[in-house]
DNA sequence: AGATTAAAAGACCTTTTTATCCTTTTTATA
DNA sequence: TATAAAAAGGATAAAAAGGTCTTTTAATCT
């Protein structure tokens, strides 16, 4: 479904969001341990998310990553767009460049439903809501 | 969503299915022209589908690819399984190895809905039904 | 100021996916 | 039976994805 970059990125940003609700700044090494991801590779992914202003990074002692208050309502769809682009929402399931309602592939209308379901889910799920859920329900981010 | 192999494979098998309803055997070169895919690469994909007994290949003059009657009810899910495996149905959206209802990632229950929608769609769509639709509605398989 | 901590940036390596080319095998038919 | 058509198979190449390592930059704390 998603690339490895995107999987690590989502897990990382979710972990950071959850820690942010507890006012914890988290370092790269903590993140990669807690989400069980390759550290150097995760660093690259976090750089992208920092440049996109989804997470905030702080260098130096006691530094790390956090999410600013007004960014806690970032939607998962934004994270996915930054890391994987939006082909998963807009692209044809059969890989055709020009496939739309006017000139559809044989599966177009069936795929549109699936894609819309995914898009709606991601567009309606904010980092804050996931973090809040995690403080209620038991969930995992590694293994 | 799917790999290139799977995209080409689905387009190829759909084209063959449609031609099969018209009793046309189709050659690799015709297929790759009609679905706009790289010929040699498509050959490899078709070999996999032949070995999996989804399509039938006939060598020699007037040979090519066709689908036997009883295979026209093959579901898209079978084609996808052969070419991409079933991670898209069973895998965790965040890439976790062990993620299920008992030990879910924070998005597990949201993802399950999407995945089930996709799986149901693919499991309920046969090659024959697509071919019949194509003989009614105008659809495209290239560009 | 110097030492230390931590992210940023860039160069590099490995594996997988995508793609091509060439030879071999099979088979219909003239 | 020779020829031509067409798929099968193997070797290789190119591109993309996944991943590592080293140096640089910035912040903090003696």
């Amino acid at each position: 479904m998603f690339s490895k970059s995107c999987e690590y990125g989502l897990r990382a940003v979710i972990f950071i969001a959850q820690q942010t609700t507890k006012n914890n700044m988290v370092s790269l090494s903590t993140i990669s341990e807690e989400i069980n991801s390759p550290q150097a590779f995760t660093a690259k992914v976090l750089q992208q998310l920092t440049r996109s202003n989804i997470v905030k990074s702080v260098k130096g002692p006691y530094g790390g990553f956090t999410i600013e208050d007004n960014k806690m309502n970032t939607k998962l769809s934004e994270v996915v767009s930054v890391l994987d682009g939006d082909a998963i929402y807009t692209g044809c399931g059969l890989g055709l460049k020009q496939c739309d309602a006017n000139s559809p592939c044989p599966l177009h209308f069936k795929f549109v439903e699936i894609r819309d379901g995914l898009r709606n889910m991601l567009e309606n799920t904010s980092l804050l809501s996931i973090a809040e859920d995690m403080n209620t329900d038991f969930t995992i981010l590694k293994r």
Side-chain angles (χ1 to χ4, degrees), chain A:
Chain A
M1 178 98 82
F2 301 125
S3 67
K4 285 287 171 195
S5 292
C6 194
E7 288 176 357
Y8 298 148
L10 286 168
R11 271 149 61 193
V13 86
I14 288 170
F15 176 70
I16 299 168
Q18 194 227 349
Q19 293 299 308
T20 294
T21 65
K22 301 181 188 170
N23 285 313
N24 292 337
M25 175 93 91
V26 282
S27 70
L28 170 64
S29 63
T30 301
I31 295 168
S32 66
E33 274 167 32
E34 292 300 321
I35 71 172
N36 196 36
S37 66
Q39 181 167 327
F41 192 63
T42 306
K44 295 297 180 191
V45 177
L46 285 171
Q47 276 177 43
Q48 289 186 73
L49 296 176
T50 303
R51 284 191 221 108
S52 311
N53 288 309
I54 291 172
V55 305
K56 191 190 160 200
S57 72
V58 177
K59 290 183 180 179
Y62 302 96
F65 296 87
T66 188
I67 298 176
E68 297 190 315
D69 274 11
N70 63 326
K71 291 292 178 179
M72 283 294 278
N73 71 347
T74 299
K75 304 302 183 292
L76 292 182
S77 54
E78 298 174 54
V79 178
V80 172
S81 285
V82 166
L83 298 174
D84 273 3
D86 53 10
I88 199 152
Y89 310 127
T90 61
C92 169
L94 299 183
L96 300 177
K97 291 207 182 73
Q98 295 180 297
C99 168
D100 51 41
N102 292 322
S103 165
C105 79
L107 297 176
H108 178 74
F109 297 103
K110 294 172 193 280
F111 269 124
V112 163
E113 284 185 50
I114 310 292
R115 283 202 271 122
D116 283 358
L118 179 62
R119 188 165 48 71
N120 286 331
M121 186 272 272
L122 296 174
E123 285 181 353
N124 291 313
T125 308
S126 69
L127 300 182
L128 181 61
S129 72
I130 300 174
E132 284 170 347
D133 289 353
M134 291 174 78
N135 290 330
T136 308
D137 310 329
F138 175 77
T139 59
I140 57 165
L141 276 176
K142 58 170 142 181
R143 304 295 136 182

